[in-house]
Structure formats: C-alpha cells, structure tokens
Amino acid sequence: MPKLKAVTEDHPPRLRDEDAAPPRGAPSGAALEKAFDKQAERLKDLQKVFYADGRFALLVVLQGRDASGKDGVIKKVLGAVNPMGCEITSFKTPSEEERSHDFLWRIHARVPARGTIGVFNRSHYEDVLVVRVNDIVPRKVWSKRFDQINEFEHMLSLNNVVILKFMLHVSRDEQKKRLEDRLADRTKNWKFRAGDLKDRANWEGFTKAYRDVVTKCSTPWAPWYVVPADDDDVRNLLVARTIADALEALELRYPKAEKGVRELAIT
Ligand code: AMP
Ligand code: MG
C-alpha cells in the first residue's frame, strides 16, 4: 500500500466519497492487523528515544467531520505510546475568555513541550472550517487566517516543533452509518449532537472549506495528509506509519551519559 503523500498546491485533493475508501493494495484481515502491530511497535520504540533525546516536540493535528475517527486514532495509534510523553487536547466551542483573545491564543498554550507528543483533537483549523461554513465571523476575518496559521506554524517549526496534520476523510454513506450507530447505541448517544446533522446537511460547504484548508495550509514545515478513513484499521495503519516515518527522519539519539556515570558502582 502506498504511503500517504503530503498535499501539494498543484494537486488539491478532490475529497470525493470514493476517495475515502481504502487505497489500492491496502491489506485486510490478519495481514492488516499484523501491519498495524508492526507500526505500533515502531512508534513505541521511536517515542522512547524521542522523549530521551528531548530536542523536538511533535504536534499531531487531527481534523475531520463528525464520526470520522479522530477519537479512534487517539485511542489506537497514540495508545501505543507511553502516556507520560503524550498530551491530548480536544478543542471545543471557544469559551467567552478564549473568544476575547486572538484565535491562536488557546492553541499556542497547548503546543507540546520538547520531548513530548501533543495531539490536537480539532484545532485552530476550526477557525477556518466551522467558523467559515456557519458564518460565525465575516469572510474578511477568516480569509486572512490561512496566512496567519502558516506563519504561526512556521514560527513553531523554527522552534523545533515538528507538525503533522491529518484530515480524516469519510464518505457520506459511512458517516451516515456511524451517526445511526450513535443513535442506536445508548452508550454512544452522548456523542451525538443535533448540530451534527446541520453540519452533515451542509456537506458540500464543509468539503469546500476542507479543500481550502488542506491546500492553502500544507507547507514544507507543516504538511497536511488526507487519510482515507472509511475503514478504521486502514486509517490507523496509515496514520501510525506516517508518524513513525517522521520520527525516524529526525535521527533521534539517546543523550550521552554524564562523565563518569558509567564507572559508578551502586553499593
Ligand atoms: P466534538 O469534537 O464532537 O466534541 O465537538 C466539538 C465542537 O466544538 C464541534 O462542533 C466543533 O465544530 C466546535 N468547535 C471547535 N472549535 C471551534 C471554534 N474555534 N469555533 C467554533 N466551534 C468550534
Ligand atoms: Mg461531535
């Protein structure tokens, strides 16, 4: 199965329903399980040295429509790493205090420290997605945010924050199934909000907004990856592999022992 490729401006993704299906060559069944376990193991080992190395922070941004699998990626993919080195933030509708600051204020406060992995479950991109589609601020305001985001992320990358952004792309039919599931299962009811249906009704509006996001804000320092997400396990494999590859490319190393430490005797 081919690796995920970062979005580039000359190949804006179409985000059609069929693009959410597993890519050609994707494993299934036992082979898929084995492939995922291998990536999870890699991730676990890389995170250990990443933490010890301490030069970089890793920020993983997860975006996607309702029921696209953001929570699932956190549970399965990030579940593979030591929780001590990982911090998850779920961004909700901004509070009154948050709204009285610039839109990046609450985001910056949650950027991970060096040596740790930060995961954003939704992010500053909501400020050019839901905010745009639902007319929460005027076009004049949100349209300037793409450049502001690129500059913010550039500043972070110059300060050793490695940024990977994943848009979990589900088809309309698959989302319908998952939302129906949430309604049918009493233990999942709490995940369902009436507003989710309003967002679903405006499918095309969100598609257009997502297309702009991943095209205008995929940069060499903070690439966007569109993940075919109709199959949970294929989605997890693709995300895990992309994160592991990025960590591996950092050529991480364990810090040298303090001088004399290796000669110490424990009595
Ligand atoms: P959930 O991820 O299902 O827990 O829902 C969180 C909700 O918060 C979603 O409906 C988001 O659209 C909304 N949200 C997150 N960030 C913002 C934002 N900056 N402005 C408005 N709504 C937001
Ligand atoms: Mg929701």
Side-chain angles (χ1 to χ4, degrees):
M1 173 171 66
K3 293 184 176 192
L4 288 177
K5 280 208 198 78
V7 175
T8 56
E9 224 163 347
D10 33 311
H11 287 107
R14 289 204 267 176
L15 304 178
R16 299 164 304 179
D17 274 355
E18 55 264 43
D19 301 327
R24 207 172 309 180
S28 60
L32 175 53
E33 210 173 304
K34 201 167 146 213
F36 178 78
D37 289 347
K38 192 176 136 201
Q39 295 305 323
E41 198 58 32
R42 245 182 108 205
L43 208 52
K44 197 170 120 199
D45 290 341
L46 282 160
Q47 190 255 348
K48 265 195 253 176
V49 56
F50 173 79
Y51 183 85
D53 179 298
R55 284 176 298 158
F56 304 97
L58 174 66
L59 173 59
V60 175
V61 172
L62 299 176
Q63 282 289 159
R65 301 175 198 264
D66 288 304
S68 60
K70 302 182 289 296
D71 296 2
V73 166
I74 292 171
K75 186 169 148 192
K76 269 298 270 192
V77 179
L78 280 308
V81 309
N82 184 343
M84 195 164 70
C86 202
E87 221 173 1
I88 320 280
T89 309
S90 295
F91 288 100
K92 309 282 181 187
T93 312
S95 67
E96 199 175 320
E97 189 191 18
E98 288 169 342
R99 265 185 286 119
S100 70
H101 290 272
D102 68 89
F103 76 105
L104 292 168
W105 180 75
R106 67 173 184 162
I107 305 297
H108 201 169
R110 305 300 301 172
V111 171
R114 284 190 278 273
T116 64
I117 300 176
V119 183
F120 286 178
N121 181 4
R122 302 189 188 270
S123 64
H124 42 308
Y125 285 97
E126 292 293 326
D127 292 284
V128 279
L129 287 164
V130 70
V131 164
R132 166 185 181 173
V133 177
N134 292 344
D135 261 326
I136 297 173
V137 304
R139 171 180 284 267
K140 206 172 80 221
V141 174
W142 62 253
S143 62
K144 295 200 181 92
R145 289 181 172 168
F146 300 105
D147 286 343
Q148 292 165 10
I149 289 173
N150 287 342
E151 284 172 20
F152 169 67
E153 292 177 349
H154 191 217
M155 180 279 291
L156 294 179
S157 80
L158 292 174
N159 285 278
N160 283 15
V161 184
V162 176
I163 306 172
L164 299 172
K165 301 178 296 197
F166 297 96
M167 186 235 164
L168 308 182
H169 175 49
V170 282
S171 66
R172 239 190 128 124
D173 283 351
E174 182 60 28
Q175 191 200 42
K176 182 164 190 267
K177 267 193 236 153
R178 294 183 188 179
L179 291 178
E180 280 170 353
D181 220 40
R182 286 184 179 180
L183 281 184
D185 182 344
R186 279 179 54 117
T187 71
K188 290 187 184 171
N189 281 180
W190 64 275
K191 282 197 178 195
F192 199 93
R193 292 174 315 112
D196 294 350
L197 291 182
K198 195 176 135 224
D199 291 352
R200 177 172 165 80
N202 200 348
W203 190 270
E204 280 309 318
F206 274 98
T207 303
K208 193 159 165 256
Y210 264 111
R211 209 180 283 131
D212 273 355
V213 157
V214 299
T215 307
K216 291 179 195 287
C217 296
S218 190
T219 56
W221 56 86
W224 266 111
Y225 296 93
V226 174
V227 186
D230 269 4
D231 183 290
D232 297 354
D233 300 323
V234 170
R235 170 203 77 204
N236 292 341
L237 172 61
L238 287 165
V239 173
R241 187 163 69 174
T242 307
I243 299 175
D245 286 350
L247 289 177
E248 201 168 76
L250 295 174
E251 300 187 354
L252 302 162
R253 51 182 190 248
Y254 286 100
K256 280 217 177 74
E258 253 176 67
K259 218 170 167 214
V261 158
R262 305 194 60 185
E263 286 75 50
L264 289 179
I266 316 273
T267 53

